[in-house]
Amino acid sequence: GMGLFSNGFIFDLLEPRYISWIKNPGKSITIAITAHVIYSSIIIFGVSWIYFGKLLNTPDGQFWNYYKYTLISVFVITVFITAIIYLKSFFKAYRNEAIEAEKLKQEAISLQYQIMQNQVNPHFLFNALNILGTLVDIDTQKSKEFIRELSLFYRELLNFKDKEIIPIQEEISFITKYIYLQKIRFANNFEVEILINENLKGNVIPMSIQMLLENAVKHNIITKNKPLKVTIGKLDGDEIFIENKLQPKKIVAGSNIIGLKNLQKRYKFLTNIEMIVEENNGYFRVTIPLIKLDE
């Protein structure tokens, strides 16, 4: 009995490394059943053979005939015990997965709200209207183009609010509108170099690259003497990087550290790969993994 109840101990050893009821249920049940059948068979037949066969001197040829019902009964009890272990493990994993999914869902809503709030806050609108007011007096055609790009930017922003992921090319198309609006504001003092092939496949979290661009604008000095260049490119693996030279402002209003942390958690959940945020040699770089639907 003690040997069979140690099935739980065996399962505890296997579970962290080999058992994943949510991601690989078929593989998990195969590993669990195989391990328990082998272990239980050794315990049941080993102990029974020592007790009945050796201590009670049962002839080897009569061993099965005498004790087959006892052994079958023990196997049935073992199945019942292991079924309880499996069910407990499965429901624990399912509960944790549901809690994590709900938590990430709330964080996703929070992140989308933060991004949208940043784009409709008085400071952003003030800058946009200021630029528009200047353009109307200088270049009517340019002001019309600015209004069109601003309206397209907000329309796409609203389209993204209910989406979990979007193709990388849609995100690139979206950030070009954001870049256009910032170029009107900063002229040649702000430059974004996009080194991503138009045939690149993969998905990203909506507005994630745009948010990182916005962080670069918000946290760095952008002047004629200190122009800001941001590079967006692809690494050898399925990863995108956004990098800029560090030209930190002394005072930054509305820092978005929470938004970055939320973004990290969501990419980790969707890809099981870390989103890396690092500062090296005077440069700030964020590396995000592409989301592959077939995985």
Side-chain angles (χ1 to χ4, degrees), residues 123-124 127-128 131 135 146 178-192 213-230 247 249:
H123 183 70
F124 182 85
N127 286 330
I131 294 167
L135 283 176
F146 180 84
Y178 176 79
I179 294 167
Y180 173 84
L181 297 174
Q182 296 303 326
K183 289 282 285 183
I184 295 293
R185 178 183 174 189
F186 295 109
N188 294 328
N189 302 326
F190 179 64
E191 181 185 351
V192 180
L213 273 177
E214 186 178 340
N215 276 355
V217 171
K218 184 186 294 183
H219 289 267
N220 291 279
I221 296 170
I222 306 176
T223 64
K224 187 176 181 180
N225 295 328
K226 283 191 172 183
L228 181 69
K229 180 179 179 180
V230 182
Q247 301 171 177
K249 294 178 180 178

Side-chain angles (χ1 to χ4, degrees), residues 108-126 153-154 157-158 161 207 210-211 214 218 254-256 258-259:
I109 293 171
S110 173
L111 179 61
Q112 289 174 343
Y113 174 76
Q114 283 181 350
I115 294 170
M116 294 183 72
Q117 187 182 46
N118 287 340
Q119 305 307 341
V120 297
N121 67 34
H123 183 70
F124 182 85
L125 288 175
F126 175 78
F153 175 78
Y154 273 105
L157 185 71
L158 293 172
K161 69 183 180 66
M207 301 175 285
Q210 185 271 332
M211 190 192 83
E214 186 178 340
K218 184 186 294 183
S255 180
N256 211 12
I258 295 175

Side-chain angles (χ1 to χ4, degrees), residues 77-293:
I77 293 171
T78 303
V79 169
F80 180 73
I81 293 170
T82 53
I84 292 173
I85 294 171
Y86 296 161
L87 285 172
K88 180 183 175 183
S89 175
F90 170 76
F91 283 115
K92 181 181 176 182
Y94 183 80
R95 183 190 63 184
N96 291 341
E97 187 80 4
I99 291 171
E100 186 66 20
E102 184 61 27
K103 184 179 177 182
L104 285 166
K105 183 179 178 182
Q106 294 301 321
E107 288 175 349
I109 293 171
S110 173
L111 179 61
Q112 289 174 343
Y113 174 76
Q114 283 181 350
I115 294 170
M116 294 183 72
Q117 187 182 46
N118 287 340
Q119 305 307 341
V120 297
N121 67 34
H123 183 70
F124 182 85
L125 288 175
F126 175 78
N127 286 330
L129 293 174
N130 233 0
I131 294 167
L132 182 58
T134 304
L135 283 176
V136 168
D137 294 330
I138 298 174
D139 190 334
T140 305
Q141 187 60 37
K142 197 76 171 175
S143 64
K144 290 180 180 178
E145 186 179 342
F146 180 84
I147 292 170
R148 185 178 67 252
E149 290 294 324
L150 185 61
S151 65
L152 289 173
F153 175 78
Y154 273 105
R155 186 172 68 181
E156 287 200 38
L157 185 71
L158 293 172
N159 285 339
F160 289 159
K161 69 183 180 66
D162 294 323
K163 295 182 179 179
E164 292 285 338
I165 58 173
I166 59 171
I168 178 65
Q169 299 302 336
E170 283 190 27
E171 179 76 1
I172 295 299
S173 174
F174 177 64
I175 64 172
T176 55
K177 296 175 178 59
Y178 176 79
I179 294 167
Y180 173 84
L181 297 174
Q182 296 303 326
K183 289 282 285 183
I184 295 293
R185 178 183 174 189
F186 295 109
N188 294 328
N189 302 326
F190 179 64
E191 181 185 351
V192 180
E193 185 178 18
I194 302 176
L195 305 174
I196 294 179
N197 190 293
E198 62 182 11
N199 296 320
L200 178 65
K201 304 296 182 183
N203 299 275
V204 294
I205 294 170
M207 301 175 285
S208 55
I209 298 178
Q210 185 271 332
M211 190 192 83
L212 296 172
L213 273 177
E214 186 178 340
N215 276 355
V217 171
K218 184 186 294 183
H219 289 267
N220 291 279
I221 296 170
I222 306 176
T223 64
K224 187 176 181 180
N225 295 328
K226 283 191 172 183
L228 181 69
K229 180 179 179 180
V230 182
T231 303
I232 303 171
K234 182 183 179 298
L235 297 175
D236 292 337
D238 291 325
E239 295 173 314
I240 301 295
F241 72 88
I242 300 90
E243 182 179 75
N244 63 271
K245 188 176 181 180
L246 279 171
Q247 301 171 177
K249 294 178 180 178
K250 291 183 178 179
I251 300 175
V252 179
S255 180
N256 211 12
I257 295 175
I258 295 175
L260 270 179
K261 288 183 177 179
N262 285 350
L263 208 58
Q264 282 180 307
K265 289 180 182 178
R266 292 182 66 200
Y267 272 110
K268 176 68 174 176
F269 178 75
L270 291 171
T271 66
N272 205 30
I273 301 172
E274 296 284 351
M275 183 185 98
I276 302 171
V277 180
E278 56 188 341
E279 293 182 16
N280 284 317
N281 301 319
Y283 282 85
F284 181 79
R285 171 182 281 205
V286 178
T287 304
I288 61 176
L290 283 174
I291 302 165
K292 299 292 185 177
L293 289 179

